[in-house]
Amino acid sequence: METRNREPREAGRHSAAGIDPAVEWAAAVLGLRPEALGIGWEREREWSRVRRLDRPGGRRAWLKQVPDGLHAEAALTSILARAGVPGALPVLAAEPSEGWLLLPDGGPTLSEALGDGEADGGAALAGPWEETLRGYARLQRAAEAHVDELLAAGVPDLRPEALPELAERLVFEDAPELAHLLPLWEADAACLAASGIRPSVQHEDLHPGNVFASSLTAFDWGDASVSHPWQSLTVAVQEPWELTAQKVYLREWGRDPGDPRTAAELAAARRLGCVGRAASWARVRDAVGVPLRFGNPVAGWLARGEDW
């Protein structure tokens, strides 16, 4: 991606003057000349650039570009789609070495279609969110078989055994005042390692704004990792109306939400999910920097690690 304040890469694809290499690539995939594509809605952030490509006849595709250091998303989504994992995001094409991802139009998100839950206490979202987490759990269970391939493709390794060392590094670098949480997180990691739940893909930022309303398919896997799958609930379940969806999710793993062991493992996963979110922000910072408007999200997420 052409990010602000970055020097152009010396290696990589090159195009004629005035033609974006990523758009040229996407046009070739779609069987069109670049000038036949209309560039619609566009959002550029430090860590990604997303553009709607309007094709003749009203059809749309979406082009996402991410900078060096954050290329794993393209590999992850293409691996899951190619493997036929149920609920995986459809992919038209991916170029992981460039950080390019071409996707079909998925329509509005749950948030766009049903609101954010504030006006009606989540009444409209509650049912769809239950179905979303049910399907997401099934995706994670099916993706267990592809963990080695995902790790080899560069998806971050946040499995329980890796988390204590990661947490210590993040605390040392960003929040030494939270050192008292390290023994708790170490115990949490041991709890999850002994849970019998195998590592799988973990979205890290699963919320109604990252799920298509028509298919209940999760997208925007840029923060994803391989970890204990229940760490997803740190973000996915934060409001009272989402608690029933959490129970639905746990039952997909064959667990009784009211069982004390399940409750202990859930608490451990939610606390360590904060370490995972801090780690995702650290990756962004290392790749492109974190804008001042976000403060220090690494320390902020670590501090939330004692909330559960």
Side-chain angles (χ1 to χ4, degrees):
M1 184 185 74
E2 297 175 0
T3 53
R4 291 184 291 273
N5 301 321
R6 289 186 66 214
E7 294 297 324
R9 287 175 292 173
E10 295 181 0
R13 294 175 181 258
H14 300 275
S15 295
I19 300 178
D20 185 319
V23 173
E24 187 178 48
W25 167 80
V29 170
L30 298 172
L32 298 169
R33 295 180 60 84
E35 54 267 26
L37 287 173
I39 307 298
W41 183 93
E42 180 174 352
R43 182 187 69 193
E44 183 168 7
R45 294 177 174 174
E46 286 75 7
W47 54 86
S48 69
R49 184 181 188 184
V50 180
R51 284 177 282 183
R52 190 187 75 217
L53 306 181
D54 296 323
R55 294 185 272 176
R59 293 177 300 163
R60 293 173 172 174
W62 292 84
L63 173 62
K64 184 170 186 179
Q65 300 165 254
V66 296
D68 293 338
L70 301 174
H71 285 181
E73 179 181 7
L76 182 155
T77 50
S78 58
I79 288 170
L80 297 185
R82 185 173 65 249
V85 171
L89 184 67
V91 176
L92 294 175
E95 192 70 71
S97 64
E98 297 285 350
W100 298 344
L101 187 60
L102 186 64
L103 305 171
D105 185 39
T109 68
L110 276 175
S111 293
E112 291 169 338
L114 301 175
D116 58 10
E118 292 186 5
D120 63 356
L125 281 169
W129 200 235
E130 291 174 26
E131 291 304 310
T132 296
L133 290 196
R134 178 182 285 113
Y136 175 67
R138 292 172 179 173
L139 177 152
Q140 289 181 302
R141 300 204 71 173
E144 291 173 358
H146 304 284
V147 160
D148 289 344
E149 186 178 4
L150 291 169
L151 292 172
V155 177
D157 184 356
L158 269 65
R159 290 176 292 180
E161 55 267 31
L163 284 173
E165 182 177 350
L166 172 63
E168 184 174 5
R169 177 173 62 81
L170 293 174
V171 165
F172 176 78
E173 293 175 351
D174 285 88
E177 70 278 7
L178 298 177
H180 65 281
L181 292 177
L182 293 174
L184 174 62
W185 287 329
E186 185 172 5
D188 286 339
C191 175
L192 296 187
S195 68
I197 303 294
R198 295 170 59 189
S200 186
V201 67
Q202 205 266 93
H203 189 282
E204 291 281 9
D205 196 22
L206 187 65
H207 57 75
N210 278 339
V211 174
F212 292 123
S214 61
S215 61
L216 300 183
T217 301
F219 66 96
D220 194 2
W221 290 81
D223 294 327
S225 65
V226 169
S227 64
H228 190 286
W230 294 9
Q231 289 177 217
S232 303
L233 298 174
T234 301
V235 172
V237 177
Q238 299 190 48
E239 303 295 336
W241 61 265
E242 295 171 318
L243 291 174
T244 301
Q246 179 171 270
K247 294 177 182 178
V248 168
Y249 175 86
L250 293 173
R251 291 190 182 106
E252 285 296 321
W253 295 93
R255 295 300 179 86
D256 176 5
D259 180 75
R261 178 188 172 191
T262 300
E265 292 168 349
L266 175 61
R270 290 177 69 96
R271 283 191 292 265
L272 286 175
C274 295
V275 176
R277 290 298 294 141
S280 68
W281 275 107
R283 290 193 297 274
V284 169
R285 182 182 61 196
D286 292 345
V288 295
V290 174
L292 291 176
R293 66 184 182 276
F294 290 100
N296 185 347
V298 177
W301 272 104
L302 291 173
R304 294 178 62 175
E306 55 186 342
D307 287 351
W308 289 282

